[in-house]
Amino acid sequence: MHRNPLEVFIMTDWINNAIDHNGIPLIVKSLHVGDFIEVIYANSDERLIGGYVTTLTSNSPKSDKGTNKVYFLGISAEHPNNNEDEKMLWVTKIKLFRVVHK
């Protein structure tokens, strides 16, 4: 397998999705649309989900400084420009995450 030397492969250790003093989860500050990530997601049972970040949003206005924001993360196993299989995740239910490549 040949890799493009300009590609950046990061593969980090697992990062705890801590929430800062403004109520913003660390993952929101760390990711960009198009990043390929893995997350440990906890709803009824913990599970590993991986894919491209397709959406990163909140449901509150910018004037809200973080207190009432509810963040959503969309990831897709397909290329980031094709979000047919997009999974929408509650960011606060993500326990751990890592960026595989940007």
Side-chain angles (χ1 to χ4, degrees):
M1 178 171 140
H2 297 289
R3 290 188 180 156
N4 179 341
L6 299 177
E7 288 180 318
V8 177
F9 287 86
I10 295 176
M11 189 54 96
T12 63
D13 292 330
W14 289 102
I15 301 166
N16 186 352
N17 188 28
I19 297 175
D20 74 8
H21 63 282
N22 292 321
I24 302 172
L26 180 60
I27 195 169
V28 172
K29 296 179 173 184
S30 306
L31 299 180
H32 300 90
V33 171
D35 292 351
F36 191 89
I37 65 166
E38 292 180 325
V39 301
I40 301 292
Y41 190 70
N43 43 12
S44 58
D45 58 339
E46 291 186 3
R47 58 191 170 123
L48 176 68
I49 300 174
Y52 291 96
V53 175
T54 55
T55 306
L56 188 57
T57 188
S58 88
N59 71 346
S60 63
K62 287 185 178 182
S63 60
D64 183 344
K65 299 295 184 202
T67 9
N68 298 312
K69 288 190 177 186
V70 178
Y71 293 96
F72 298 96
L73 174 70
I75 63 174
S76 173
E78 301 296 323
H79 187 270
N81 294 333
N82 178 1
N83 58 3
E84 290 177 12
D85 295 330
E86 185 179 39
K87 291 180 179 66
M88 294 302 291
L89 305 175
W90 295 88
V91 171
T92 54
K93 291 192 176 187
I94 294 172
K95 291 191 171 193
L96 301 168
F97 70 96
R98 65 180 172 189
V99 179
V100 178
H101 68 80
K102 289 194 164 279

